[in-house]
Amino acid sequence: MVVPLRLLVLCWVFGAGCSQSSPPWFQNITTNLFNSSGDILLGGLFPINELTSNLSHRVKPDNISCDRINEHGLGMALVMKYTVDEINANSTLLPGIRLGYEIFDTCKQSAVIVKPTLLFLTEDSSRELAVMCNYTDYATRVAAVIGPSTSEMVSVIGKLLGFFLIPQISYLATGDMFSDKSMYPSFLRTVPSDKRQVEAMVYLLNRFQWNWVAVVGSEDEYGRQGQRQFSTLAAKSSICVGYEGLIPTYRDPQPVVKEILDRIAEAKVGVVVVFSLAQPARAFFTEVIRRNLTGVWVASDDWALHRDISTLPNIHTVGTIIAFAVQSQTLGLLTPYTRELFSRIREEMTRQPSPDTESTRGMNQCPDCWNLSPDNISLVTEPILLRTAFSVYAAIYSVAHALHSLLGCNANSCLRGAKSKLYPWQLLEVLKKVNFSLNGSHFEFDSNGNPNIGYNVLQWVWRNNSLSFKDVGTFYKNLSINNTLIRWHTGSTKAPESTCSSECGPGQVRRVKGFHSCCYDCIECLPGTFQNVDIQCTQCLDGQWSQVRSTNCTKPTFDFLTWSQPESLGLLLAMLVLLACQGAVGVLLLQHRGSPLVRASGGALGGVALLSLMGGCACLLLFLGQPGELVCRLQLPLSSIFQTVTLSTILAISLQLNTFSLIKKSNSSGDIWMNTSEEDAGICGYYVQERPSLSQYLAKMKVTFVRKFLRCPVEPILGLGLMQGFNGLLALTSFMCTFMAVKTVRQYNLARDITFSTLIYCVVWVVFIPIYTGLNDKDRSIVHVSVSLLSNMGLMVAYYLPKCHLLLKKPELNTEEHFRTFLEGAEATPQEEHDQGPGGEGQGPM
């Protein structure tokens, strides 16, 4: 009656802590925190206390003082006690078998952890460790070891336990080197290895395109290995580590931390990965807060939820903290169990105030634990403990399920009883293959002793000076993260940038500067090259070209004077107007074809010259539209021949004017016209023969452009010079001959028309030469057509319009007498020569 009554009183005092839903096995809770007898013992290694001795002054292998409680380590030790009690209360997992435990403090010191490890290795219940050649039939004091908590501690005892093949299951040690079964054959763990954590971190950095970061680790096995693995994997993922630093763990960290932060500031990184234990991380962030630095901090699992950092004053000012915490489950009965346990401890303390009695032997790992009460319930309600408790829980349950298989148990009994010999190597073989369901989740180890557990991605979020850890994603084999849940310290919904150099644009390649591939200058790809890879511009293939900053090469595109372009329309309009004028002149001359003026102007040859002018105007249409093989063959020769016919006619007339004073009128005009036309035809034939075809011209063209104006090839340029030069020579000869022409009085001055028409022609084409040589292909075509039209118009205006003026305005002068000299070939009389003067009628009407 005493125990139930006591429970009722406790339930009344502590309310919800002892609700009616508490399981019956709570009545069997003992106050021995660190040891409990059983048929099979488990060894527990937890950092229950913190070091208070100065190891640098230690000169004897005597006792080491660890007198300050480590609340997190004590909380995990309590989880082991809770888990063992829960398993013993389960009548179907190990029926007839009672698990016991011996928990020891590691103080997170190598010099401390060796002692309990040696005790675990003693034979059965003795305290002797025999030296033997063969330990196959050697039954150690404990069947398995749970712990320790850090990679540093595992590296001290892991090989020793591996020699005896005692199963060692760590709940927090994450060093990847322990996955090497040749070095640590008996090591398993219930947390992922640092290799997986590093993979998760690199995934995170790539997700937000952070490729310029710093990584800081603690100067211990955990930090060094994590930093090394991160830097290696980051380099493979095109992430540059701008700075690496280690925070001292066993000496004053402040001087080193200051130097680390100086180097981080110099590197100008926006993201820092802190792969550290909690205590070095606390020293690091203390200085970060003092300097008022802000940024993105990526937290490794050891300090991700640790109150040593989360309780730092003004920790909320450092920026955005994204943490990786091992995926876990909530242990629903842990809090009421602990409250019941603490209540019993306080009750015993009330009844037995002296801690030196027999009932307090279990407190030797933690003398201050005798003062525990329900007021200390925060030991198991802290966020970090709630998230790490499951790792301890799963470690002990994996041993229990392995024992269930090894002992041949069913729901009622076990084939091998409590007194049967149990060798640790036998348990290890079964433990490696254990596969069970725990609180609704599947659990197993892989071939390297790592669990099928991933990470939760958390953000530290402050609201009204209260810290909470918000889940923003998960990682197992791939990263899944919800960007919209993250609240960046910048106030923007966009993630902060952390790059050494801005991303190069299209058509630019990287030129690395310094030793980091992420630090580079963006160099533009020059014309004729393109961006094929990030670090080098590639030359274009023959027949292709590119513009500056191109990402590909293309075959050239050719433009030409289309009919719809403004330039073409302007030239076409000028041609039509000129042709209309020439047609009107032709009609007028045709109407007066038998008149003295028309006969004196060359008669039929004058008509041929006018038709040639019209032909020369019309053939300029060949310069418009898309060039073709036939068009290019006819373009320049036709234009030249039509000009030659006109100029040959004018030359024949000018020579007749010159020879009136020497010979009688003859029939040589036709011979002159024919001979000059034949000579020009020969020059044109030479040009057509020597010039390449359009297809040959395009095939031989060196492509150094993406877009270019295409015109018919003017090659050889000597051909153009000969054709145009020959016509210029005809015009110049005609011009010179007019100065030796016969002087007429009170008659039409035909020499004047020839003088002005040939002078205009010569001036136009002489000016054409320097203009033509300085232009591009498109402008050359336009200028060529324009000059041809201008010279054509000059010949028509200066030679034919004065005659039209006479026919239309002064028809009374269109008489035989007014053109007698040119029609009859008579010599001028001395009196006529005397009367000839600048103001006489011999100047002729305009």
Side-chain angles (χ1 to χ4, degrees), residues 217-232:
S218 51
E219 198 174 25
D220 62 280
E221 199 67 37
Y222 172 79
R224 282 191 294 264
Q225 289 291 334
Q227 184 187 76
R228 187 180 304 115
Q229 287 182 324
F230 176 84
S231 297
T232 301

Side-chain angles (χ1 to χ4, degrees), residues 50 78 83 136 145 158 200 260 314 352 387 416 436 469 472 500 510 516 578 588 602 629 719 727 748 795 836-837:
E50 295 181 359
L78 292 175
T83 307
T136 302
V145 175
I260 288 173
N314 298 319
Q352 301 176 4
R387 287 185 177 269
R416 297 174 61 180
F436 60 96
F469 303 100
V472 295
C500 183
R510 301 175 180 178
H516 298 286
L578 188 55
L588 184 61
E629 293 287 356
N727 290 333
Y748 187 84
L795 289 173
Q836 179 74 32

